[in-house]
Amino acid sequence: MKTDIVFKRSINGMAKQITKYEESLACDLYEKGKTITEISASISISRTTTMNILKRNNIKLKGGNKYNKEVTERVKMLYESGATIQCILKETGIKSIQTIYRLIGNHKRRI
C-alpha cells in the first residue's frame, strides 16, 4: 500500500512522516484562522514544521510586526538618544526586550 508521504519529521529523535493529508489539513486550518501553535498541537508537529508547510504551499504568514511605523521610529529614536532598553520598554509599553532589539535592528545589549 502506497502512502502519499510529503516529508519526514522528527519527534524525540524518531523519524515520522507527514502525509499529504496532514499537510493539506495544516494549510486548511491556517486559512480558516487557526494559529500556528493550534495547528501544531492538533497535528502533533512542531511550530517550525508547520511554518515550513505553509511556506512550501505559498501561504502568506500572518502577523509579523504588530507595531506600526510610529512606534518603531519612537523606539529607534529613544535608543539612539541613549535611553536604556528598560526605559524604552517603560516608555513604549512594549513587553519584550527581544521585540525592542528586533525593532532597532541592533543586537548590542545595553541594559
Side-chain angles (χ1 to χ4, degrees):
M1 183 170 133
K2 182 183 174 197
T3 59
D4 294 323
I5 303 302
V6 176
F7 67 95
K8 292 184 178 183
R9 61 186 156 107
S10 178
I11 293 180
N12 299 330
M14 303 287 295
K16 301 285 182 181
Q17 297 177 336
I18 294 184
T19 64
K20 285 186 179 181
Y21 171 77
E22 289 172 315
E23 184 154 323
S24 176
L25 179 61
C27 295
D28 290 344
L29 290 171
Y30 191 74
E31 288 176 338
K32 289 178 181 173
K34 295 288 184 186
T35 66
I36 289 172
T37 301
E38 292 169 333
I39 296 165
S40 300
S42 68
I43 303 177
S44 299
I45 58 178
S46 71
R47 294 181 75 248
T48 302
T49 299
T50 303
M51 287 188 287
N52 288 338
I53 288 170
L54 298 172
K55 288 176 187 174
R56 188 170 45 251
N57 285 279
N58 299 316
I59 296 175
K60 185 171 171 43
L61 299 179
K62 303 169 197 154
N65 188 0
K66 69 178 184 178
Y67 297 102
N68 63 30
K69 193 173 182 174
E70 253 179 52
V71 173
T72 301
E73 291 304 316
R74 176 137 173 81
V75 167
K76 288 180 181 178
M77 187 267 312
L78 286 167
Y79 183 78
E80 289 169 0
S81 71
T84 65
I85 299 302
Q86 295 301 325
C87 178
I88 296 170
L89 288 169
K90 199 177 286 186
E91 289 280 326
T92 60
I94 295 172
K95 295 179 177 141
S96 166
I97 291 172
Q98 290 301 330
T99 300
I100 299 295
Y101 284 113
R102 183 176 48 79
L103 293 175
I104 61 177
N106 184 334
H107 298 288
K108 293 180 184 173
R109 297 183 180 221
R110 208 178 56 201
I111 298 178

